[in-house]
Amino acid sequence: MIAVAIDIGGTFTDLVGFDDRAGRFVDAKSLTTPANLVQGIIDCLQKSGLTAGAIDELIHGSTIAINTLIERTGAKTGLVVTRGTRDVYIIGRGNRPEAYNLFFHRHRPLVPRHLTREVAERVLASGAVHEKLDRAGVEAAARALAAEGVEAVAVCFLHSYVNPEHERAAGAIIRAALPDAYLSLSHEILREYREFERTSTTVVNAYVGRKVGGYVRALKGKLEAIGFTGNLSIMRSNGGVMTPEVAQERPVAMMESGPVGGIIASARVGEKLGFGNVISFDMGGTTAKTSLIRDGEPTMAPGYYVGGYASGHPVMVPMIDVVEIGAGGGSIAWRDEIGALKVGPQSAGADPGPICYRGGGSEPTITDANVALGRLDPHNFLGGTMALDADGAARGIEDKIAKPLGMTVTAAARAILEIAVNKMSLAVREVSVEKGYDPRDFVLVASGGAGPLHVLDIARELHIPTVIVPLFPSHFSALGMLLADERHDFIRTYYADLAAVDFGDLCKVHAEMVAEAAPGLRHARGAVRQIQLDLRYTGQEFTLPVPVTPAQLKKGDRRGIRTAFDRLYEQRYAHHSPEEPVEMVNIRLAVIGKRPKLKFPHKRGGKRAPAHRRPVYLGGGKPVACPVYARDALAAGARVKGPALIEEHGTTTILYQGDDCRVAPSGELIIAVGRGR
């Protein structure tokens, strides 16, 4: 079996393949082609030397969904709602996250008010029909939206998460009136209460659906044209994969489909090396991303705000909890209006790219700073396939940063990196310290083309004792996709006091969710079901997801569920209230189809001597004559002490004074972080 994963990033498109019969990896990297993303995939396949017809399974992660939303290049979308709720989506929440920001603004709706149509119907929170659906009103709304030239329609009726019959009927009418429009019904996307968040998620799905659906169809067509006949899977934000058909129906599930691959891989690598508690750190060309993994399992979040909590769009679908900041290799260094040095979030991306890429870039970036300091070899970038312009990088830093600030090029380049490291350290704190976890109890797994260049600085900043640089760090998100299982998440709001929950009825809801998962499940044999109940103390706003077993549901184990909730509350908040009543809000189900596990080969023998030495600025005012090792040549068990550089095809690992690196039997670099620099 040959399995291939392809991840499209902001700067590069990465491919990792594994042939389990031959026990060998294949990897390739090409510049991302923003104008035609599918072309970058075809380029990678051609560079890899693999024949499309020989590939049994291809897993793909893409940023097309989130980019479509952020860049606001989606479909012209209409919204159909219950009479009296026209402004719910526009008003949003009444909170003001930035109380002292005079220029604060709320989210900019994707659907303007004149494209929001009300229809008469009303379902109560109990699911009972209070007012029948006005079918003529739906037809009139559909005609009005058709006259406006809408390309997508979202339907979100009040309390349809309990009883979706009105939405189904309205959907049939709208499909008949607008057969070419992309249609999203809220009960098919999110069966959870909170009207604003549910409406926003449904609108986002409709807004990006037409473009994402066209992309997935184009990808399938191009692959078939070059002879691919295997299974195509799409990575989703929850860390699992889905079929192309599910991706076209629920493109909102693809929002973070690229970055989560690296988090899945970090969990597997940590587990294999005996580390259950891991912080994943991925620094690519455009952004840096970090996530926390406890006991081998990534931390899940019920959703997030695309564009930030203050003014972003809520997308309430289960996803791996990721903190992402604008600090990648292509992040631009610039001076603000008072002359202070800033780094990011603007990025040079793949086009024009950093100055040193010779692609027309004129703004200095983090990559240019690394080249100017000698940390990247301009003659051995991407294995020597891409020569870098070191002189151009130095001139760009000098003209735009060093001269205006009265600094040397070396000092300016170091300042750029220090600001970037500080920003990334704060992101790692956000997933650990701010959640009640001590980063010193975790190992830091570094990936991305720029991750190993900066990870030891971050580890020192946070006193993290151990760093792991895995195999294929610059292709790590793609590697994680090879390791991901199929996963489908479902949620139903079921509001009741825990003491009064009808567990027989709850079991019926669970069975309905299991049946809903069946049609889209490719790997049904041996599938695992994970159940959680969202619980809270009565009177609270937010809930905690409490894992339960099917046996607990069947026998109505209130005491066991309550004990688990109190224990989880104590762990999270350092106190609990055993005498306070508890209420249930939602039931969640994750159905995980187990894909065949790949058996990776162990590291073979090789040389331990450095390939050569070169001057590198590592912190002081003078360069250090650093030994440079080729990672491929390092044998299992080899030890390298800093200062040193370890180069490989897509990245470079920097070791400072006091760092002690050993090569694991399976090839990972395990680094004990020293105190020096």
Side-chain angles (χ1 to χ4, degrees):
M1 173 181 170
I2 298 178
V4 170
I6 300 178
D7 171 45
I8 296 181
T11 305
F12 289 101
T13 296
D14 301 327
L15 177 149
V16 171
F18 185 69
D19 184 342
D20 66 348
R21 289 184 291 266
R24 70 183 184 94
F25 282 106
V26 175
D27 65 281
K29 186 183 283 279
S30 65
L31 284 170
T32 295
T33 50
N36 182 7
L37 294 174
V38 175
Q39 187 57 49
I41 295 173
I42 303 302
D43 292 345
C44 256
L45 282 170
Q46 292 173 344
K47 283 188 175 184
S48 72
L50 292 171
T51 303
I55 299 171
D56 299 289
E57 183 171 16
L58 193 151
I59 305 110
H60 175 47
S62 172
T63 56
I64 185 169
I66 193 168
N67 287 348
T68 299
L69 180 54
I70 291 173
E71 296 166 4
R72 300 182 75 92
T73 56
K76 184 177 183 179
T77 305
L79 175 62
V80 179
V81 298
T82 302
R83 184 175 59 189
T85 64
R86 184 181 188 184
D87 294 318
V88 165
Y89 174 57
I90 294 173
I91 293 172
R93 289 289 172 188
N95 58 334
R96 187 181 174 92
E98 298 178 5
Y100 300 104
N101 181 359
L102 298 179
F103 303 100
F104 169 77
H105 61 84
R106 299 189 182 279
H107 72 291
R108 284 197 299 135
L110 301 170
V111 179
R113 194 172 190 272
H114 75 277
L115 293 182
T116 303
R117 299 286 166 166
E118 296 181 330
V119 297
E121 70 85 36
R122 186 62 184 269
V123 172
L124 301 179
S126 64
V129 176
H130 179 70
E131 181 180 1
K132 290 184 178 181
L133 176 68
D134 179 7
R135 301 178 69 90
V138 177
E139 291 172 355
R143 287 195 300 271
L145 293 176
E148 292 281 358
V150 300
E151 302 165 306
V153 179
V155 181
C156 192
F157 288 160
L158 202 62
H159 304 306
S160 60
Y161 56 85
V162 183
N163 181 354
E165 289 306 314
H166 285 180
E167 273 195 2
R168 290 195 183 107
I173 295 170
I174 293 169
R175 280 193 179 96
L178 290 90
D180 297 327
Y182 186 95
L183 179 65
S184 286
L185 306 178
S186 74
H187 74 275
E188 295 178 346
I189 308 302
L190 181 66
R191 294 193 68 168
E192 181 179 4
Y193 84 131
R194 299 183 190 277
E195 299 306 316
F196 167 56
E197 287 80 3
R198 187 162 59 91
T199 303
S200 175
T201 304
T202 307
V203 167
V204 168
N205 193 78
Y207 184 76
V208 304
R210 188 181 181 92
K211 190 169 184 178
V212 172
Y215 170 78
V216 173
R217 286 190 295 272
L219 175 60
K220 286 182 66 178
K222 282 273 192 178
L223 290 173
E224 289 169 1
I226 62 173
F228 175 70
T229 58
N231 289 327
L232 174 64
S233 298
I234 305 296
M235 196 73 193
R236 62 193 301 170
S237 304
N238 63 9
V241 297
M242 57 185 166
T243 64
E245 292 73 25
V246 173
Q248 291 176 64
E249 292 172 4
R250 299 179 184 174
V252 72
M254 288 176 60
M255 281 294 159
E256 292 286 353
S257 76
V260 297
I263 299 164
I264 295 297
S266 294
R268 301 293 175 266
V269 167
E271 192 175 40
K272 180 178 68 173
L273 297 176
F275 301 103
N277 292 340
V278 169
I279 295 174
S280 172
F281 170 70
D282 175 0
M283 184 180 179
T286 308
T287 60
K289 297 158 282 285
T290 183
S291 184
L292 185 131
I293 297 155
R294 281 196 78 240
D295 300 325
E297 291 296 326
T299 306
M300 298 295 293
Y304 78 126
Y305 288 74
V306 181
Y309 173 64
S311 55
H313 300 271
V315 174
M316 307 311 289
V317 293
M319 62 170 292
I320 290 179
D321 192 8
V322 181
V323 171
E324 185 170 359
I325 59 169
S331 293
I332 293 171
W334 54 285
R335 293 174 295 111
D336 65 13
E337 59 274 8
I338 63 171
L341 179 60
K342 306 285 185 180
V343 178
Q346 306 94 323
S347 175
D351 184 14
I355 298 170
C356 60
Y357 282 9
R358 305 175 191 266
S362 59
E363 301 297 327
T365 65
I366 292 174
T367 297
D368 293 311
N370 278 304
V371 172
L373 293 173
R375 301 182 180 199
L376 286 175
D377 186 347
H379 307 295
N380 193 30
F381 190 71
L382 295 184
T385 61
M386 184 175 175
L388 301 181
D389 183 3
D391 293 336
R395 283 195 303 272
I397 293 172
E398 182 178 26
D399 294 341
K400 298 293 179 74
I401 305 297
K403 279 185 178 178
L405 295 179
M407 307 170 73
T408 65
V409 171
T410 302
R414 283 207 310 268
I416 291 169
L417 298 188
E418 286 173 4
I419 291 172
V421 166
N422 182 259
K423 290 177 66 174
M424 294 183 289
S425 298
L426 289 174
V428 175
R429 285 179 185 274
E430 190 172 339
V431 299
S432 56
V433 177
E434 293 188 16
K435 301 290 177 64
Y437 300 108
D438 188 338
R440 294 172 295 184
D441 297 333
F442 291 74
V443 299
L444 194 57
V445 177
S447 62
L453 278 165
H454 304 93
V455 67
L456 271 303
D457 289 305
I458 295 168
R460 275 176 169 73
E461 186 87 13
L462 300 176
H463 305 285
I464 297 174
T466 305
V467 165
I468 297 172
V469 180
L471 296 171
F472 303 104
S474 65
H475 299 73
F476 203 53
S477 285
L479 180 63
M481 294 173 195
L482 290 182
L483 304 173
D485 290 317
E486 184 180 8
R487 177 170 176 143
H488 302 277
D489 284 278
F490 301 89
I491 183 170
R492 295 280 186 92
T493 290
Y494 190 101
Y495 181 73
D497 288 337
L498 182 60
V501 167
D502 182 342
F503 279 92
D505 190 36
L506 195 58
C507 286
K508 290 180 183 177
V509 173
H510 170 251
E512 290 174 6
M513 291 173 18
V514 171
E516 189 178 348
L521 192 62
R522 182 180 282 164
H523 300 86
R525 180 176 294 180
V528 175
R529 300 172 191 165
Q530 296 177 350
I531 309 167
Q532 291 180 327
L533 304 182
D534 287 352
L535 304 179
R536 65 189 180 190
Y537 291 119
T538 300
Q540 290 186 322
E541 171 70 9
F542 298 102
T543 61
L544 285 178
V546 179
V548 299
T549 64
Q552 285 180 298
L553 287 186
K554 287 180 181 178
K555 70 179 184 180
D557 184 13
R558 298 179 209 275
R559 181 182 296 274
I561 294 170
R562 171 61 193 257
T563 300
F565 169 73
D566 285 334
R567 189 183 305 119
L568 183 62
Y569 203 95
E570 175 72 30
Q571 177 187 328
R572 183 68 59 87
Y573 301 110
H575 69 91
H576 68 286
S577 304
E579 305 304 321
E580 291 291 328
V582 169
E583 59 188 15
M584 175 182 165
V585 177
N586 301 308
I587 177 172
R588 299 178 184 271
L589 172 70
V591 180
I592 301 170
K594 295 293 185 178
R595 293 175 57 241
K597 298 302 179 188
L598 305 179
K599 297 180 180 179
F600 293 165
H602 275 210
K603 179 76 172 176
R604 300 185 184 278
K607 300 177 181 178
R608 302 188 183 202
H612 60 276
R613 291 177 178 268
R614 75 166 187 265
V616 181
Y617 288 92
L618 293 179
K622 295 181 180 180
V624 176
C626 264
V628 180
Y629 295 82
R631 182 170 181 178
D632 289 345
L634 290 174
R639 301 288 289 268
V640 177
K641 294 189 176 184
L645 302 181
I646 301 176
E647 293 184 340
E648 54 190 295
H649 177 74
T651 190
T652 297
T653 300
I654 294 179
L655 302 178
Y656 294 98
Q657 184 70 39
D659 294 336
D660 189 349
C661 171
R662 64 181 174 87
V663 182
S666 47
E668 293 84 4
L669 304 181
I670 303 176
I671 304 167
V673 182
R675 294 185 179 181
R677 191 164 184 174

